[in-house]
Amino acid sequence: MLQPVAWRWDATRRRRTVAPTPNTTEPAMLIQILTHTPAWVFALFALLAWMGARQLVAGSTHLLRATAMPVAMVALAIYGVTGAFGRSDAGWLALAGWGLAAAAALAFVARLPLHPAVRYEPASRRFHQPGSWVPLALMMGIFATKYAVGVLLAMHPELAHQGGFATGISTLYGLFSGIFAGRALRLWKLALRRHAATVAA
């Protein structure tokens, strides 16, 4: 039997529930979930999709902007962990899972070489990069994880206190965070090398 449908994006936000009828079907349940999703969540999805889609084609990005987006996405991931599990008994497990996964992913990605077409101009402080699907995939991954966890915790609040669930979800958040941070670190390394070469010249 289906549990009451509810929306929960933030663990501290009051839950809104709608009790299903005995003949509730899965499509009807999905409709209930969508109708109880705040409008700003759809706006955030559209913004992330737009930002990610822009990076599917080659272009140039200022150093500050190239840094700001990974920082914002890491912050969103941390918010997802603390918002879902920060006040539960499994909160420390969630933070540990996030931290270990983020550190491992950061260390791995930071060692990978940049695409040969990536260039940096010290004078304008801009990166010229080819199109990539990775940023869009990471953004949608973080958003989808946060949305799914919000719905699950609204329907089954007891999951927030289960160490396995908290650690698994937080580890996934950590992987996303580490990949974003590692990609940004690679760009910063390139920028520092180019600045050093310009000064030396």
Side-chain angles (χ1 to χ4, degrees):
M1 182 176 180
L2 293 176
Q3 298 295 323
V5 177
W7 165 251
R8 174 174 174 172
W9 182 264
D10 188 333
T12 63
R13 195 181 300 273
R14 181 178 300 176
R15 293 188 293 119
R16 299 165 58 187
T17 60
V18 177
T21 57
N23 61 347
T24 299
T25 61
E26 289 185 3
M29 181 178 177
L30 178 60
I31 292 174
Q32 289 186 15
I33 292 174
L34 293 176
T35 55
H36 286 78
T37 299
W40 67 266
V41 176
F42 295 110
L44 177 61
F45 172 80
L47 175 62
L48 294 178
W50 174 73
M51 293 174 61
R54 290 187 60 184
Q55 299 192 53
L56 293 175
V57 296
S60 64
T61 307
H62 192 274
L63 175 62
L64 293 180
R65 184 175 178 181
T67 304
M69 186 183 68
V71 169
M73 297 310 299
V74 170
L76 181 60
I78 295 175
Y79 174 68
V81 174
T82 57
F85 311 110
R87 297 188 178 185
S88 72
D89 300 335
W92 68 274
L93 285 174
L95 290 175
W98 177 87
L100 291 174
L106 170 61
F108 176 77
V109 174
R111 290 184 173 87
L112 297 178
L114 283 168
H115 192 284
V118 176
R119 295 182 295 106
Y120 178 72
E121 295 180 354
S124 61
R125 294 188 176 183
R126 299 189 70 87
F127 293 99
H128 297 272
Q129 305 180 78
S132 173
W133 57 268
V134 176
L136 177 60
L138 292 174
M139 291 179 189
M140 292 297 99
I142 292 178
F143 179 89
T145 301
K146 186 161 178 52
Y147 189 93
V149 170
V151 173
L152 284 173
L153 292 182
M155 298 174 64
H156 306 285
E158 68 279 4
L159 290 177
H161 301 277
Q162 296 183 7
F165 179 80
T167 303
I169 294 299
S170 298
T171 298
L172 182 59
Y173 275 130
L175 291 175
F176 288 135
S177 300
I179 294 173
F180 257 118
R183 288 170 57 84
L185 182 58
R186 291 189 306 172
L187 294 178
W188 267 96
K189 287 181 177 179
L190 173 62
L192 292 174
R193 288 197 301 268
R194 295 288 291 120
H195 279 294
T198 300
V199 172

